Amino acid sequence: MNIVMLGRPGSGKGTQATRLMERLGVPQLSTGDMLRKAAADKTPLGLAAKKLMDQGQLVPDEMVIGIVDDAFRTPETAKGFILDGFPRTLKQAEALDAILAAKKRALDKVLFLDVPAELIVERLSGRRSCPKDGSVYHLVNAPPKRDTLCDKCGTPLVQRDDDKPERITARLDAYDRDTAPLRPYYEKRGVLAVVHGVGPADGIFAELLLRLGIKD
Ligand code: AP5
C-alpha cells in the first residue's frame, strides 16, 4: 500500500497514520517528525527548518524533497509507505510523482481527512506529545492516564512550539495557500478519498480502512 495522508494541520493525520502503520505493517514517513528530529540533533538543515517551523511557515521544497528522497532509498519503504505531511505543495507532489515513477510505483490512495478550520485551534492547543517516543495525546480528547506523563514511558509531555495559538493561524494560512490545491490535484487522478475527520478516532480509522478496501 502506497498511501498519502492529506488534511489541515491537526486534522488527525499523525494519529491515523500511526494506526495504519500498525495495521498494514508499512512505515509512516512523517516529514514533520523528520524535521523535528533534525532540529533536536542540531543539524544545519534541522536548525534552518526549526526557525521556519516555529513561525508556522513551510520549509523550502528542496529541503523536504531531499529528506523524502533519502527516506525512499531505505529498504523499509519497499513494501509500501504512509506519507504524513508530504506532499504539501504542488512542487512536492510533482517530486513525489518523479520519485515513485523512477521506482515503477504509484500511489494507491490519498486519504484526505476533512476537518473544518474552526475545530483546529481546539485540537492543536490541547495536543501534548512525548519528546521521547513521539506518542501524541490531547488534554481533553485523548488524555494520558497519569497527569501529563506519557502512558508508555512516563516521560513528561510537552507542547509543540508551533501549537501556540498565534502560530496555528500562520499554519492554517500556509495550508490554504500552498496545500489546499493538492486536493483537486489528486481528485483529478481518481486516487482521492475524502473522509469526515470529526468524531471518535476509532470510527474515523474504520472508515479509512473501508476506503482502502480493508476489512476492519
Ligand atoms: P507537521 O508535524 O506535519 O504538522 P501538521 O501537518 O501541521 O500536522 P500536525 O502534526 O499538527 O497534525 P496532525 O494532522 O498530524 O494531527 P494529530 O494526529 O497530531 O509539520 C510541522 C511543520 O513542519 C510544518 O508547519 C512545516 O513548517 C514543517 N513541514 C513538515 N512537512 C513539511 C513539508 N512537506 N513541506 C514543508 N514544510 C513541512 O492530531 C492533533 C490533535 O488532535 C492531537 O492532540 C490528537 O490527539 C487530537 N485528535 C486526533 N484525532 C482526533 C479526533 N478524531 N477527535 C478529537 N481529537 C483528535
Side-chain angles (χ1 to χ4, degrees):
M1 279 274 175
N2 302 328
I3 299 168
V4 163
M5 306 286 305
L6 213 57
R8 286 194 167 87
S11 58
K13 301 182 296 295
T15 301
Q16 298 296 340
T18 303
R19 288 168 172 234
L20 285 172
M21 171 184 74
E22 286 161 5
R23 177 64 186 258
L24 303 175
V26 295
Q28 171 187 3
L29 305 178
S30 158
T31 44
D33 288 350
M34 291 178 205
L35 292 168
R36 278 185 288 277
K37 164 125 190 11
D41 292 344
K42 298 196 172 11
T43 67
L45 182 147
L47 293 175
K50 186 170 177 359
K51 278 191 196 149
L52 295 163
M53 293 166 79
D54 286 351
Q55 293 165 19
Q57 291 178 26
L58 291 187
V59 169
D61 287 330
E62 301 69 34
M63 268 192 202
V64 194
I65 291 167
I67 59 172
V68 169
D69 194 26
D70 287 347
F72 272 108
R73 292 177 199 277
T74 61
E76 290 79 36
T77 55
K79 274 199 301 178
F81 57 83
I82 303 153
L83 270 169
D84 161 15
F86 184 95
R88 245 178 166 98
T89 63
L90 284 171
K91 192 169 173 196
Q92 292 179 20
E94 286 160 9
L96 177 62
D97 291 342
I99 291 171
L100 294 178
K103 295 179 184 300
K104 302 200 180 347
R105 294 168 69 177
L107 288 177
D108 293 304
K109 216 48 142 186
V110 175
L111 299 170
F112 181 89
L113 286 173
D114 199 9
V115 176
E118 309 86 78
L119 277 186
I120 296 300
V121 176
E122 181 269 333
R123 285 229 184 149
L124 290 182
S125 51
R127 173 165 59 184
R128 297 293 181 274
S129 333
C130 174
K132 195 167 173 196
D133 66 17
S135 301
V136 173
Y137 301 84
H138 188 281
L139 294 178
V140 178
N141 304 332
K145 292 193 182 85
R146 289 177 299 146
D147 298 328
T148 50
L149 302 178
C150 177
D151 289 350
K152 293 177 195 156
C153 64
T155 304
L157 303 177
V158 295
Q159 184 176 31
R160 273 171 44 178
D161 285 337
D162 60 348
D163 278 350
K164 310 267 162 59
E166 62 278 16
R167 308 281 192 277
I168 296 173
T169 309
R171 288 164 65 195
L172 285 170
D173 288 347
Y175 173 86
D176 287 340
R177 187 182 58 238
D178 298 314
T179 312
L182 294 183
R183 184 173 169 170
Y185 179 84
Y186 287 120
E187 196 163 29
K188 270 188 210 133
R189 297 189 176 192
V191 289
L192 187 81
V194 179
V195 170
H196 185 53
V198 182
D202 285 350
I204 297 167
F205 184 59
E207 181 64 22
L208 291 174
L209 290 180
L210 202 68
R211 305 303 287 270
L212 291 170
I214 297 168
K215 280 198 178 151
D216 198 354

Coordinates of all heavy atoms in Angstrom, one line a residue, residues 6-17 28 30-33 35-36 49-50 52-61 64-65 67-68 84-89 92 113 115 120 122-129 136-143 160 162-163 171 174-175 197-202 204, ligand 1:
L6 N -3.6 13.4 3.8 CA -3.7 14.9 3.5 C -4.7 15.5 4.4 O -5.7 14.8 4.8 CB -4.2 15.0 2.0 CG -3.7 16.2 1.2 CD1 -2.2 16.2 1.0 CD2 -4.3 16.0 -0.3
G7 N -4.6 16.7 4.7 CA -5.5 17.4 5.6 C -4.9 18.6 6.3 O -3.7 18.7 6.3
R8 N -5.8 19.4 6.9 CA -5.3 20.6 7.6 C -4.3 20.2 8.7 O -4.4 19.1 9.2 CB -6.4 21.4 8.2 CG -7.3 22.1 7.3 CD -8.2 23.1 8.0 NE -8.8 24.0 7.1 CZ -9.9 23.8 6.4 NH1 -10.6 22.7 6.5 NH2 -10.3 24.7 5.5
P9 N -3.5 21.1 9.2 CA -2.7 20.9 10.5 C -3.7 20.4 11.6 O -4.8 21.1 11.7 CB -2.1 22.2 10.8 CG -2.2 23.0 9.6 CD -3.3 22.5 8.8
G10 N -3.4 19.4 12.3 CA -4.3 19.0 13.4 C -5.5 18.2 13.0 O -6.4 17.9 13.8
S11 N -5.6 17.8 11.7 CA -6.8 17.1 11.3 C -6.8 15.6 11.7 O -7.7 14.9 11.5 CB -7.0 17.2 9.8 OG -5.8 16.7 9.1
G12 N -5.6 15.2 12.3 CA -5.5 13.8 12.7 C -4.7 12.9 11.8 O -4.7 11.7 12.0
K13 N -3.9 13.5 10.9 CA -3.1 12.7 10.0 C -2.1 11.8 10.8 O -2.0 10.6 10.5 CB -2.3 13.6 9.1 CG -3.1 14.6 8.3 CD -2.2 15.4 7.3 CE -1.3 16.3 8.0 NZ -2.0 17.4 8.8
G14 N -1.4 12.4 11.8 CA -0.4 11.6 12.5 C -1.1 10.5 13.3 O -0.6 9.3 13.3
T15 N -2.2 10.8 14.0 CA -3.0 9.8 14.8 C -3.4 8.6 13.9 O -3.2 7.5 14.3 CB -4.2 10.5 15.4 OG1 -3.8 11.6 16.2 CG2 -5.1 9.5 16.2
Q16 N -3.9 8.9 12.8 CA -4.5 7.8 11.9 C -3.3 7.1 11.2 O -3.4 5.9 11.0 CB -5.5 8.4 10.9 CG -6.7 9.0 11.6 CD -7.5 7.9 12.4 OE1 -7.4 6.7 12.2 NE2 -8.4 8.4 13.3
A17 N -2.3 7.9 10.8 CA -1.1 7.2 10.1 C -0.4 6.2 11.0 O 0.0 5.1 10.6 CB -0.1 8.3 9.7
Q28 N 5.5 4.7 8.5 CA 4.9 6.0 8.5 C 6.0 7.0 8.2 O 7.0 7.1 9.0 CB 4.2 6.3 9.8 CG 3.7 7.7 10.0 CD 3.3 8.0 11.5 OE1 3.3 7.1 12.3 NE2 2.8 9.2 11.7
S30 N 6.8 10.7 8.3 CA 6.3 12.0 8.7 C 7.4 13.0 8.5 O 8.4 13.0 9.2 CB 5.8 12.0 10.2 OG 5.8 13.3 10.7
T31 N 7.2 13.9 7.6 CA 8.2 15.0 7.4 C 8.3 15.9 8.6 O 9.4 16.3 8.9 CB 7.9 15.8 6.1 OG1 6.6 16.1 6.0 CG2 8.4 15.0 4.9
G32 N 7.2 16.1 9.3 CA 7.3 17.0 10.5 C 8.2 16.3 11.5 O 9.0 16.9 12.1
D33 N 8.0 15.0 11.8 CA 8.8 14.2 12.7 C 10.3 14.3 12.3 O 11.2 14.4 13.1 CB 8.4 12.8 12.9 CG 7.0 12.7 13.6 OD1 6.6 13.7 14.2 OD2 6.4 11.6 13.7
L35 N 11.8 16.5 10.4 CA 12.4 17.8 10.6 C 12.6 18.1 12.1 O 13.6 18.7 12.5 CB 11.5 18.9 10.0 CG 11.4 18.8 8.5 CD1 10.2 19.7 7.9 CD2 12.7 19.3 7.8
R36 N 11.7 17.7 13.0 CA 11.9 17.9 14.4 C 13.1 17.1 14.9 O 13.8 17.6 15.8 CB 10.6 17.5 15.2 CG 9.5 18.6 15.2 CD 8.3 18.3 16.0 NE 7.5 17.3 15.4 CZ 6.6 17.5 14.5 NH1 6.4 18.7 14.0 NH2 5.9 16.5 14.0
A49 N 15.4 24.7 9.5 CA 14.0 24.3 9.4 C 13.2 24.8 10.7 O 12.1 25.3 10.6 CB 13.8 22.8 9.3
K50 N 13.9 24.6 11.8 CA 13.2 25.0 13.1 C 12.7 26.4 13.1 O 11.6 26.7 13.6 CB 14.2 24.7 14.3 CG 13.5 24.9 15.6 CD 14.3 24.4 16.8 CE 13.7 24.6 18.1 NZ 12.4 25.3 18.3
L52 N 11.7 28.3 10.7 CA 10.5 28.4 9.9 C 9.3 27.7 10.6 O 8.2 28.2 10.6 CB 10.7 27.8 8.5 CG 11.8 28.6 7.7 CD1 12.3 27.8 6.5 CD2 11.2 29.9 7.2
M53 N 9.6 26.5 11.1 CA 8.5 25.7 11.7 C 7.9 26.5 12.9 O 6.7 26.5 13.1 CB 9.1 24.3 12.2 CG 9.4 23.5 11.0 SD 10.4 22.0 11.5 CE 9.1 21.0 12.2
D54 N 8.8 27.1 13.7 CA 8.4 27.8 14.9 C 7.5 29.0 14.5 O 6.7 29.5 15.3 CB 9.6 28.3 15.8 CG 10.2 27.1 16.5 OD1 9.6 26.0 16.5 OD2 11.3 27.3 17.1
Q55 N 7.6 29.5 13.3 CA 6.8 30.6 12.9 C 5.5 30.1 12.1 O 4.8 30.9 11.6 CB 7.6 31.5 11.9 CG 8.7 32.2 12.5 CD 9.7 32.8 11.5 OE1 9.4 32.9 10.3 NE2 10.9 33.0 11.9
G56 N 5.4 28.8 12.0 CA 4.2 28.3 11.3 C 4.4 28.3 9.8 O 3.4 28.2 9.1
Q57 N 5.6 28.5 9.3 CA 5.8 28.6 7.9 C 6.3 27.2 7.3 O 6.9 26.5 8.1 CB 6.8 29.6 7.5 CG 6.4 31.0 7.8 CD 7.4 32.1 7.5 OE1 8.3 31.9 6.7 NE2 7.4 33.2 8.2
L58 N 6.1 27.0 6.0 CA 6.6 25.8 5.4 C 8.1 25.9 5.2 O 8.7 27.0 5.0 CB 5.9 25.6 4.1 CG 4.5 25.2 4.1 CD1 4.0 24.8 2.7 CD2 4.1 24.1 5.0
V59 N 8.8 24.8 5.3 CA 10.2 24.6 5.0 C 10.3 24.6 3.5 O 9.5 24.1 2.8 CB 10.7 23.3 5.7 CG1 12.1 23.0 5.3 CG2 10.6 23.5 7.2
P60 N 11.4 25.2 2.9 CA 11.6 25.2 1.4 C 11.4 23.8 0.8 O 11.9 22.8 1.4 CB 12.9 25.8 1.2 CG 13.3 26.6 2.4 CD 12.6 25.9 3.5
D61 N 10.8 23.7 -0.4 CA 10.6 22.5 -1.1 C 11.8 21.6 -1.2 O 11.8 20.4 -0.9 CB 10.0 22.7 -2.5 CG 8.6 23.2 -2.4 OD1 7.8 22.8 -1.5 OD2 8.2 24.0 -3.3
V64 N 12.8 19.6 1.9 CA 11.9 18.5 2.3 C 11.9 17.4 1.3 O 11.9 16.2 1.6 CB 10.4 19.0 2.4 CG1 9.6 18.0 3.1 CG2 10.4 20.3 3.2
I65 N 12.0 17.8 0.0 CA 12.1 16.8 -1.1 C 13.4 15.9 -0.9 O 13.3 14.7 -1.0 CB 12.1 17.4 -2.5 CG1 10.7 18.0 -2.7 CG2 12.4 16.4 -3.6 CD1 10.6 19.0 -3.9
I67 N 14.9 15.1 2.0 CA 14.8 14.2 3.1 C 13.8 13.0 2.7 O 14.0 11.9 3.1 CB 14.5 14.8 4.5 CG1 13.1 15.5 4.5 CG2 15.6 15.6 5.0 CD1 12.7 15.9 5.9
V68 N 12.8 13.3 1.9 CA 11.9 12.3 1.5 C 12.6 11.4 0.5 O 12.4 10.1 0.6 CB 10.6 12.9 0.9 CG1 9.7 11.8 0.2 CG2 9.8 13.6 2.0
D84 N 3.0 11.2 5.7 CA 2.2 12.0 6.6 C 2.8 13.4 6.7 O 3.9 13.5 7.2 CB 2.2 11.3 8.0 CG 1.8 12.2 9.2 OD1 1.3 13.3 9.0 OD2 2.1 11.8 10.3
G85 N 2.2 14.4 6.0 CA 2.8 15.7 6.0 C 3.5 16.0 4.7 O 4.1 17.1 4.6
F86 N 3.5 15.1 3.8 CA 4.2 15.3 2.5 C 3.4 14.5 1.4 O 3.0 13.4 1.7 CB 5.6 14.7 2.5 CG 6.4 15.0 1.2 CD1 7.2 16.1 1.1 CD2 6.3 14.1 0.2 CE1 7.9 16.3 -0.1 CE2 7.0 14.3 -1.0 CZ 7.8 15.4 -1.1
P87 N 3.1 15.1 0.3 CA 3.5 16.5 -0.2 C 2.6 17.6 0.5 O 1.5 17.3 0.9 CB 3.3 16.4 -1.7 CG 2.2 15.4 -1.9 CD 2.4 14.4 -0.8
R88 N 3.1 18.8 0.4 CA 2.4 19.9 1.0 C 2.3 21.1 0.0 O 1.7 22.1 0.3 CB 3.2 20.4 2.2 CG 2.4 20.3 3.5 CD 3.4 20.8 4.5 NE 2.7 21.0 5.7 CZ 2.8 20.1 6.8 NH1 3.3 19.0 6.6 NH2 2.2 20.5 7.9
T89 N 3.0 20.9 -1.2 CA 2.9 21.9 -2.3 C 2.8 21.1 -3.6 O 3.2 19.9 -3.6 CB 4.2 22.8 -2.3 OG1 5.3 22.0 -2.6 CG2 4.4 23.5 -1.0
Q92 N 6.1 19.7 -4.5 CA 6.4 18.5 -3.8 C 5.6 17.3 -4.3 O 6.1 16.1 -4.4 CB 6.1 18.6 -2.3 CG 7.0 19.6 -1.5 CD 6.7 19.8 -0.1 OE1 6.0 18.9 0.5 NE2 7.1 20.9 0.5
L113 N -8.3 13.9 5.3 CA -9.1 14.0 6.5 C -9.8 15.4 6.5 O -9.1 16.4 6.7 CB -8.3 13.8 7.7 CG -7.8 12.3 8.0 CD1 -6.8 12.3 9.1 CD2 -9.0 11.4 8.3
V115 N -11.6 18.2 8.2 CA -11.9 18.7 9.5 C -12.0 20.3 9.3 O -11.1 20.9 8.8 CB -10.8 18.4 10.5 CG1 -11.1 19.1 11.9 CG2 -10.7 16.9 10.7
I120 N -9.8 23.3 14.5 CA -8.3 23.0 14.5 C -7.6 23.7 15.7 O -6.8 23.0 16.4 CB -7.7 23.5 13.2 CG1 -8.2 22.7 12.0 CG2 -6.2 23.5 13.3 CD1 -8.0 21.2 12.1
E122 N -8.7 24.2 18.7 CA -9.0 23.4 19.9 C -8.2 22.1 19.9 O -7.6 21.7 20.9 CB -10.5 23.1 20.0 CG -11.0 22.3 21.1 CD -11.0 20.8 20.8 OE1 -11.1 20.4 19.7 OE2 -10.9 20.0 21.8
R123 N -8.1 21.5 18.7 CA -7.3 20.3 18.6 C -5.8 20.5 18.9 O -5.2 19.7 19.6 CB -7.4 19.7 17.2 CG -8.8 19.0 17.0 CD -8.6 17.7 16.4 NE -9.8 17.1 16.0 CZ -10.0 16.2 15.1 NH1 -9.0 15.9 14.3 NH2 -11.2 15.7 14.8
L124 N -5.3 21.6 18.3 CA -3.8 21.8 18.4 C -3.4 22.4 19.7 O -2.4 22.0 20.3 CB -3.3 22.6 17.2 CG -3.4 22.0 15.9 CD1 -2.8 22.9 14.8 CD2 -2.6 20.7 15.9
S125 N -4.3 23.3 20.3 CA -3.8 23.9 21.6 C -3.9 22.8 22.7 O -3.2 23.0 23.7 CB -4.6 25.1 21.9 OG -6.0 24.9 21.8
G126 N -4.7 21.8 22.5 CA -4.8 20.7 23.6 C -3.8 19.6 23.3 O -3.8 18.7 24.1
R127 N -3.1 19.6 22.2 CA -2.2 18.5 22.0 C -1.0 18.5 22.9 O -0.4 19.6 23.1 CB -1.7 18.5 20.5 CG -0.7 17.5 20.2 CD -0.5 17.2 18.7 NE -0.1 18.4 18.0 CZ 0.1 18.5 16.7 NH1 -0.1 17.4 16.0 NH2 0.5 19.6 16.1
R128 N -0.6 17.4 23.4 CA 0.7 17.2 24.1 C 1.4 16.0 23.5 O 0.7 15.0 23.2 CB 0.5 17.0 25.6 CG -0.2 18.2 26.3 CD 0.7 19.4 26.3 NE 0.1 20.6 27.0 CZ -0.7 21.4 26.5 NH1 -1.1 21.3 25.2 NH2 -1.2 22.4 27.2
S129 N 2.7 16.0 23.4 CA 3.4 14.9 22.8 C 4.6 14.5 23.7 O 5.1 15.3 24.5 CB 4.1 15.3 21.4 OG 3.4 16.3 20.8
V136 N 1.3 10.8 20.8 CA 0.5 12.0 20.8 C -0.7 11.9 21.6 O -1.4 10.9 21.6 CB 0.1 12.4 19.3 CG1 -0.8 13.6 19.3 CG2 1.4 12.7 18.5
Y137 N -1.0 12.9 22.5 CA -2.2 12.9 23.3 C -3.0 14.2 23.1 O -2.5 15.1 22.4 CB -1.8 12.9 24.8 CG -1.0 11.6 25.1 CD1 0.4 11.6 24.9 CD2 -1.6 10.5 25.7 CE1 1.1 10.5 25.2 CE2 -0.8 9.3 26.0 CZ 0.5 9.4 25.7 OH 1.2 8.2 26.0
H138 N -4.2 14.3 23.7 CA -4.9 15.5 23.7 C -5.5 15.7 25.1 O -6.0 14.7 25.7 CB -6.1 15.5 22.7 CG -6.7 16.9 22.6 ND1 -7.7 17.3 23.5 CD2 -6.6 17.8 21.6 CE1 -8.1 18.5 23.1 NE2 -7.4 18.9 22.0
L139 N -5.3 16.9 25.7 CA -5.7 17.0 27.1 C -7.1 16.6 27.4 O -7.5 16.2 28.5 CB -5.4 18.5 27.6 CG -3.9 18.9 27.6 CD1 -3.8 20.3 28.0 CD2 -3.1 18.0 28.5
V140 N -8.0 16.8 26.4 CA -9.4 16.5 26.6 C -9.8 15.3 25.8 O -10.5 14.3 26.4 CB -10.3 17.7 26.2 CG1 -11.8 17.4 26.3 CG2 -10.0 18.9 27.0
N141 N -9.5 15.2 24.6 CA -10.0 14.1 23.7 C -9.2 12.8 23.8 O -9.8 11.7 23.6 CB -9.8 14.6 22.2 CG -10.5 15.8 21.9 OD1 -11.5 16.2 22.6 ND2 -10.1 16.6 21.0
A142 N -7.9 12.8 24.2 CA -7.2 11.6 24.3 C -6.1 11.8 25.4 O -4.9 11.8 25.2 CB -6.5 11.3 23.0
P143 N -6.6 12.0 26.7 CA -5.7 12.4 27.8 C -4.8 11.2 28.2 O -5.2 10.1 28.1 CB -6.7 12.8 28.9 CG -7.9 12.1 28.6 CD -8.0 11.9 27.2
R160 N 4.2 21.4 21.5 CA 5.0 21.8 20.4 C 5.0 23.3 20.3 O 3.9 24.0 20.5 CB 4.5 21.2 19.1 CG 5.0 19.9 18.8 CD 4.4 19.2 17.6 NE 4.1 20.0 16.4 CZ 3.6 19.5 15.3 NH1 3.3 18.2 15.3 NH2 3.4 20.2 14.3
D162 N 5.0 25.2 17.8 CA 4.1 25.7 16.7 C 2.6 25.4 17.1 O 1.8 25.7 16.2 CB 4.5 25.1 15.4 CG 4.4 23.6 15.3 OD1 4.3 22.9 16.3 OD2 4.5 23.1 14.1
D163 N 2.3 24.9 18.2 CA 0.9 24.7 18.6 C 0.4 25.8 19.5 O -0.7 25.8 20.0 CB 0.8 23.4 19.4 CG 0.7 22.2 18.5 OD1 0.5 22.4 17.2 OD2 0.7 21.0 18.9
R171 N -0.1 28.6 10.4 CA 0.0 27.3 9.7 C -1.3 27.0 8.9 O -1.2 26.4 7.8 CB 0.1 26.2 10.8 CG 1.5 26.2 11.4 CD 1.5 25.4 12.7 NE 1.2 24.0 12.5 CZ 0.9 23.1 13.5 NH1 0.8 23.6 14.8 NH2 0.7 21.9 13.3
A174 N -0.9 28.9 5.7 CA 0.1 28.2 4.8 C -0.7 27.0 4.1 O -0.5 26.8 2.9 CB 1.3 27.7 5.6
Y175 N -1.5 26.4 4.9 CA -2.3 25.3 4.3 C -3.2 25.8 3.2 O -3.2 25.2 2.1 CB -3.1 24.6 5.4 CG -4.1 23.6 4.8 CD1 -3.6 22.3 4.6 CD2 -5.4 23.9 4.4 CE1 -4.5 21.3 4.0 CE2 -6.2 23.0 3.8 CZ -5.7 21.7 3.6 OH -6.6 20.8 3.0
G197 N -13.4 13.9 9.2 CA -12.4 13.7 10.2 C -12.8 14.1 11.6 O -12.0 14.3 12.5
V198 N -14.2 14.3 11.8 CA -14.7 14.7 13.1 C -15.4 13.5 13.7 O -16.1 12.8 13.1 CB -15.6 15.9 12.9 CG1 -16.2 16.4 14.3 CG2 -14.9 17.0 12.2
G199 N -15.2 13.4 15.1 CA -15.8 12.2 15.8 C -14.7 11.4 16.4 O -13.5 11.7 16.2
P200 N -15.1 10.2 17.0 CA -14.1 9.4 17.6 C -13.1 8.8 16.6 O -13.5 8.5 15.5 CB -15.0 8.3 18.2 CG -16.4 8.8 18.3 CD -16.5 9.8 17.2
A201 N -11.8 8.8 17.1 CA -10.7 8.3 16.2 C -11.0 6.9 15.7 O -10.6 6.6 14.6 CB -9.4 8.5 16.9
D202 N -11.6 6.1 16.6 CA -11.8 4.7 16.2 C -12.8 4.6 14.9 O -12.5 3.8 14.0 CB -12.6 3.9 17.3 CG -11.6 3.6 18.4 OD1 -10.4 3.8 18.2 OD2 -12.1 3.1 19.5
I204 N -13.2 7.0 12.7 CA -12.5 7.5 11.5 C -11.6 6.4 11.0 O -11.5 6.3 9.7 CB -11.8 8.8 11.9 CG1 -12.8 9.9 12.3 CG2 -10.9 9.3 10.7 CD1 -12.2 11.1 13.0
Ligands
AP5_1 P1 3.7 18.5 10.8 O1 4.3 17.9 12.0 O2 3.4 17.7 9.6 O3 2.4 19.3 11.3 P2 0.9 19.4 10.6 O4 0.7 19.0 9.2 O5 0.6 20.8 10.9 O6 0.1 18.3 11.3 P3 0.1 18.1 12.8 O7 1.2 17.2 13.2 O8 0.0 19.4 13.5 O9 -1.4 17.5 12.9 P4 -2.0 16.0 12.5 O10 -2.9 16.2 11.3 O11 -0.9 15.0 12.4 O12 -2.9 15.8 13.8 P5 -2.7 14.9 15.1 O13 -2.9 13.4 14.7 O14 -1.4 15.2 15.8 O15 4.6 19.8 10.3 C1 5.0 20.7 11.2 C2 5.8 21.8 10.5 O16 6.9 21.2 9.8 C3 5.1 22.5 9.3 O17 4.3 23.6 9.8 C4 6.2 22.9 8.4 O18 6.9 24.0 9.0 C5 7.2 21.7 8.5 N1 6.9 20.7 7.5 C6 6.5 19.4 7.7 N2 6.3 18.8 6.5 C7 6.6 19.7 5.5 C8 6.6 19.7 4.1 N3 6.2 18.6 3.4 N4 6.9 20.8 3.4 C9 7.3 22.0 4.1 N5 7.3 22.1 5.4 C10 7.0 21.0 6.1 O19 -3.9 15.4 15.9 C11 -3.9 16.7 16.5 C12 -4.5 16.6 17.9 O20 -5.9 16.2 17.8 C13 -3.9 15.6 18.8 O21 -3.8 16.1 20.1 C14 -4.8 14.4 18.8 O22 -4.8 13.6 20.0 C15 -6.2 15.0 18.5 N6 -7.1 14.2 17.7 C16 -6.7 13.4 16.7 N7 -7.8 12.8 16.1 C17 -8.9 13.3 16.8 C18 -10.3 13.1 16.8 N8 -10.8 12.2 15.9 N9 -11.1 13.7 17.6 C19 -10.6 14.6 18.6 N10 -9.2 14.8 18.7 C20 -8.4 14.2 17.8

